[in-house]
Amino acid sequence: MSQRAVDAVFQGLYLFTDLRAILRETAPAHRLDEEQRAAVAKALEKLRKQADILEKELLP
Amino acid sequence: MKCAGDIDTREVEELYINIDPIQAGGRLTPEAHKAVIAFADGYSVCDNCLKPFRLDYINKPPIAQFHRDVAEWLNMDQVRVVPGARRGFQAVASTMVEKGDPVVLTALSHYTEFVSLEQSGGIIHEIPMDAGNRITAENAAAKLDEVTKKFGRAPSLLFVEHVDYQYGNIHEVKEIAKVAHQYDVPVLMNGAYSVGIMPVDGKAFGVDFVVGSGHKSMAAPAPSGVLAANGEYAERVFRTTQVKGDVTGRTFGIKEVEMMGCTLMGAPVVGLMASFPAVKARVEHWDHEVENSNKVVDALLSIEGTTVESEYPRRHTLTRINTLGSFDKVAATHKKKGFFLSSALKKKGVIGVIPGSTRVWKFNTYGLNDMQIDHVARTFVEVAEENGLSVS
């Protein structure tokens, strides 16, 4: 059992959901203000970390 | 892009501004989307269902607390979650109405209110609208008097809409409840277009039942809703089963008859719960939502030949607009006929107007941010100008 892998999958899905919310609130042009750009950058950074965890846990 | 098999991924909320009249208040919050991801499996909320084995007793996830919180928020004695407002109407009608009973609803009642009363065998009587498309206490009093005289007894139930689905008008619920109670008639308030988007206080309205729709106005997945009741009526509609098997002798604990045991499981109930903090917060900003609604309506009214059929200035975000004298004139000669409007709007990033509609149609601005409101208002004016209509 890999609790870390499972948590990373859910954390990743939640981060994608945050990105989805930004797409919704900026539709239809998707022009992001500074705050939204910072939120996207942070979410992407965290997503990369979740991908790294999954790689380590599932593809050792 | 497909999400599975032949099922397209639904991307309309991400790509467009959606002003569909029935979809606005049911768009999920990010919190609900996350909860749905985690609880999508069928019996997911039942992992920790312990004695007495009923949905509203489950503490993990905190469904029991949610019931208490919603009751407090609506200022009603008891609440149950239900699979859509219609199941709330059905439970109350089944409890209160016997075959042949006179019942009263309104000229703006939803078909599910009619059907729920039909199922119980009620004899339907509608309170007519006034000239402004509103249900008034005066008309309710006249109807109650007429029906009581006709049957020699008062109606067994009255349904009234807080906000109706046709015009988005706000009706005289408090005054109507007061009149109904003079005849000892219990009152159900249909809050499908109010509970979850604007403040609702059941006891201040003086109603006996409040029904809300999760997927219409509480940012929840379908089917979901709430049924709230007060005092003796709560005891009646939420009565527990007394049945016993004649062969097996089985009984069924504290399952509630009208709820058919457990009502709302999995994604619908956790979505409803996850959105609740945001829903409680958003009703406090109702004035701004109305302001935004009026901005878009005013933009439409600036197009010559356009009129609003809902009460105006708007007090709600759902609006019925008449463009027979504007967009419908364009449709008469346009190569796309009536489809030109929805097509032009879509090209500019706005969807939700029924394709082909250029006469009388509805839209809802609920939940759009200020940037999106400006975009929608500007888009209507641009489409008018591009098609040769005068804008003042």
Side-chain angles (χ1 to χ4, degrees):
Chain A
M1 186 203 322
S2 173
Q3 181 74 48
R4 284 194 82 213
V6 172
D7 287 349
V9 165
F10 278 109
Q11 188 59 40
L13 290 167
Y14 298 155
L15 288 162
F16 276 123
T17 301
D18 291 334
L19 294 172
R20 184 181 185 186
I22 289 172
L23 288 172
R24 286 181 167 218
E25 69 191 37
T26 59
H30 297 142
R31 285 193 203 98
L32 279 56
D33 63 23
E34 281 310 308
E35 196 179 325
Q36 289 160 335
R37 287 173 63 87
V40 169
K42 199 170 178 181
L44 290 174
E45 187 189 331
K46 286 183 178 175
L47 269 168
R48 287 187 191 99
K49 280 184 188 163
Q50 305 312 313
D52 288 344
I53 292 169
L54 286 167
E55 200 164 16
K56 279 180 196 160
E57 291 290 318
L58 301 179
L59 303 171
Chain B
M1 186 171 73
K2 305 288 182 189
C3 59
D6 291 333
I7 306 169
D8 288 324
T9 300
R10 182 174 185 266
E11 300 174 326
V12 296
E13 306 291 352
E14 288 74 24
L15 291 172
Y16 302 98
I17 298 171
N18 184 4
I19 57 170
D20 185 289
I22 64 171
Q23 294 181 340
R27 274 191 286 266
L28 297 199
T29 58
E31 293 78 19
H33 271 136
K34 292 174 188 177
V36 167
I37 287 168
F39 280 85
D41 293 317
Y43 278 100
S44 55
V45 298
C46 308
D47 295 336
N48 296 289
C49 182
L50 309 171
K51 265 189 173 179
F53 305 120
R54 204 171 80 192
L55 183 84
D56 55 311
Y57 281 73
I58 293 174
N59 287 313
K60 192 177 176 186
I63 298 173
Q65 185 62 46
F66 176 68
H67 280 74
R68 292 191 287 272
D69 291 345
V70 174
E72 185 184 351
W73 176 64
L74 288 174
N75 196 15
M76 295 289 285
D77 291 346
Q78 291 194 52
V79 161
R80 297 291 184 274
V81 292
V82 288
R86 64 193 63 197
R87 296 298 180 188
F89 306 145
Q90 188 181 40
V92 174
S94 170
T95 300
M96 305 301 300
V97 180
E98 299 289 335
K99 191 176 180 187
D101 280 359
V103 288
V104 173
L105 34 60
T106 83
L108 291 169
S109 289
H110 192 256
Y111 79 90
T112 55
E113 295 173 75
F114 279 82
V115 173
S116 69
L117 294 168
E118 183 181 13
Q119 281 185 336
S120 296
I123 311 295
I124 302 285
H125 297 82
E126 294 173 277
I127 304 169
M129 294 183 281
D130 71 1
N133 302 318
R134 281 180 286 250
I135 307 299
T136 63
E138 187 182 349
N139 283 355
K143 183 57 67 175
L144 284 164
D145 189 54
E146 174 196 321
V147 173
T148 303
K149 282 177 180 158
K150 182 176 162 189
F151 283 80
R153 58 189 164 117
S156 53
L157 185 61
L158 183 148
F159 280 179
V160 62
E161 298 70 44
H162 184 193
V163 176
D164 71 88
Y165 75 101
Q166 292 194 43
Y167 296 91
N169 287 348
I170 298 177
H171 305 288
E172 295 180 355
V173 173
K174 185 178 177 180
E175 295 80 2
I176 291 169
K178 194 174 172 187
V179 169
H181 286 160
Q182 287 168 0
Y183 288 79
D184 286 330
V185 177
V187 176
L188 178 150
M189 186 185 87
N190 174 2
Y193 281 100
S194 61
V195 172
I197 63 169
M198 60 192 283
V200 170
D201 182 327
K203 291 209 169 98
F205 279 125
V207 295
D208 305 291
F209 303 97
V210 172
V211 170
S213 170
H215 52 265
K216 208 166 257 165
S217 297
M218 297 178 77
S224 60
V226 294
L227 166 62
N230 278 338
E232 61 166 303
Y233 295 115
E235 300 306 319
R236 289 174 67 178
V237 74
F238 302 133
R239 68 195 180 280
T240 52
T241 175
Q242 303 296 314
V243 76
K244 187 176 184 179
D246 69 335
V247 173
T248 62
R250 287 182 299 159
T251 57
F252 303 95
I254 61 163
K255 302 293 188 196
E256 291 169 333
V257 176
E258 297 298 348
M259 300 296 106
M260 293 290 286
C262 300
T263 52
L264 205 58
M265 295 174 282
V269 72
V270 293
L272 188 67
M273 290 165 57
S275 280
F276 188 52
V279 162
K280 276 200 296 187
R282 76 186 192 179
V283 301
E284 303 302 326
H285 303 290
W286 177 240
D287 287 349
H288 189 64
E289 293 286 346
V290 172
E291 200 178 300
N292 280 344
S293 170
N294 276 300
K295 271 187 194 170
V296 174
V297 172
D298 287 343
L300 278 159
L301 292 178
S302 74
I303 302 165
E304 196 177 309
T306 299
T307 58
V308 58
E309 296 197 349
S310 304
E311 58 187 356
Y312 179 80
R314 299 297 300 121
R315 295 194 292 156
H316 197 271
T317 57
L318 168 67
T319 297
R320 182 177 172 116
I321 203 89
N322 182 323
T323 52
L324 275 162
S326 53
F327 291 130
D328 198 52
K329 284 189 174 171
V330 175
T333 56
H334 199 284
K335 65 180 178 184
K336 291 185 179 174
K337 304 288 182 193
F339 291 92
F340 95 91
L341 180 59
S342 57
S343 172
L345 292 172
K346 190 172 182 181
K347 274 186 191 158
K348 291 174 184 286
V350 177
I351 60 159
V353 174
I354 295 173
S357 295
T358 49
R359 295 179 176 182
V360 178
W361 44 279
K362 297 184 290 185
F363 66 95
N364 197 336
T365 58
Y366 189 77
L368 303 184
N369 57 42
D370 292 354
M371 175 276 289
Q372 291 171 322
I373 288 292
D374 289 343
H375 183 101
V376 173
R378 192 171 57 247
T379 295
F380 279 125
V381 169
E382 283 175 6
V383 171
E385 287 174 335
E386 287 163 9
N387 286 280
L389 295 172
S390 295
V391 177
S392 57

